[in-house]
Amino acid sequence: MRRSELTGLCWEHVDLDASRVRVVETLQRLTGQGLAVGQPKTARSRRSISLSPEAIKLLESVRDYQTAQRLLMGDGWTDTGYVFTRPDERPVIPDELSQDFQRIVRKTGLPPLTLHGLRHAHATILLSAGVHAKVVSERLGHSNIAVTMDTHSHVLPSLQEAAANTLDEYLATG
């Protein structure tokens, strides 16, 4: 998901039982206006994304943390409905999310990485694993498959080699 899609994700759009989130709105900081709810980048950015079991565990822990915070704060708690919040339930500001992520990357000694870089890594891993480009494009919310393929064309040479080997294997056994 894009940064603004993460910060705009509300619990009403998360279905942990069905292992899906729906991307239907964003949260962005507008200069001089503060935070504003907006629409995803393109029509195809409005999408449903299947969640892995690990992602579900993470979201369950976020929900449990928010429940504990709600009990701690009592009447001081304002339920905004956002999935990713500050401890007092105020929405996370997209720029601050990026800054917090950078602090975590530096603190853990990971190689330089941005939130947007995680989107690219996600696509690269899926394409390299043989997931159909159309599925990857849908997960990312790209306007069309060509955007996905143009952006992640560095993966194509290894996919071409794998395709050639698969063809030889199929013809040898078929």
Side-chain angles (χ1 to χ4, degrees):
M1 293 172 67
R2 295 173 180 93
R3 180 179 76 166
S4 63
E5 294 169 347
L6 285 169
T7 56
L9 183 62
C10 292
W11 283 112
E12 68 183 277
H13 302 128
V14 175
D15 187 340
L16 295 176
D17 294 328
S19 304
R20 300 188 80 68
V21 296
R22 290 183 299 120
V23 179
V24 296
E25 60 190 22
T26 62
L27 189 63
Q28 300 172 355
R29 184 178 213 160
L30 301 178
T31 305
Q33 298 178 20
L35 292 176
V37 174
Q39 296 295 312
K41 188 175 178 180
T42 68
R44 292 231 171 110
S45 295
R46 294 179 65 90
R47 64 200 184 278
S48 179
I49 303 172
S50 293
L51 298 171
S52 71
E54 286 300 315
I56 291 168
K57 285 181 194 174
L58 174 66
L59 288 169
E60 287 172 341
S61 70
V62 169
R63 185 185 58 196
D64 293 346
Y65 175 79
Q66 285 182 352
T67 300
Q69 287 300 109
R70 183 179 301 121
L71 292 172
L72 268 173
M73 295 192 65
D75 292 341
W77 180 265
T78 303
D79 191 358
T80 61
Y82 288 107
V83 172
F84 302 108
T85 63
R86 296 174 181 180
D88 63 359
E89 184 64 5
R90 289 181 298 144
V92 173
I93 297 168
D95 287 340
E96 290 177 4
L97 178 63
S98 293
Q99 292 164 3
D100 290 344
F101 183 75
Q102 288 304 306
R103 274 193 289 279
I104 292 167
V105 167
R106 282 191 301 275
K107 185 176 181 180
T108 57
L110 291 169
L113 181 64
T114 64
L115 282 172
H116 194 73
L118 286 178
R119 275 177 57 84
H120 289 290
H122 176 79
T124 299
I125 290 166
L126 293 179
L127 290 169
S128 296
V131 173
H132 194 285
K134 177 71 172 158
V135 173
V136 176
S137 180
E138 289 170 354
R139 289 183 65 79
L140 295 175
H142 284 160
S143 57
N144 60 60
I145 194 171
V147 172
T148 306
M149 298 312 292
D150 288 346
T151 304
H152 303 285
S153 60
H154 62 282
V155 179
L156 296 177
S158 63
L159 294 178
Q160 285 286 351
E161 186 176 308
N165 292 336
T166 299
L167 182 61
D168 277 355
E169 291 168 13
Y170 179 80
L171 292 173
T173 61

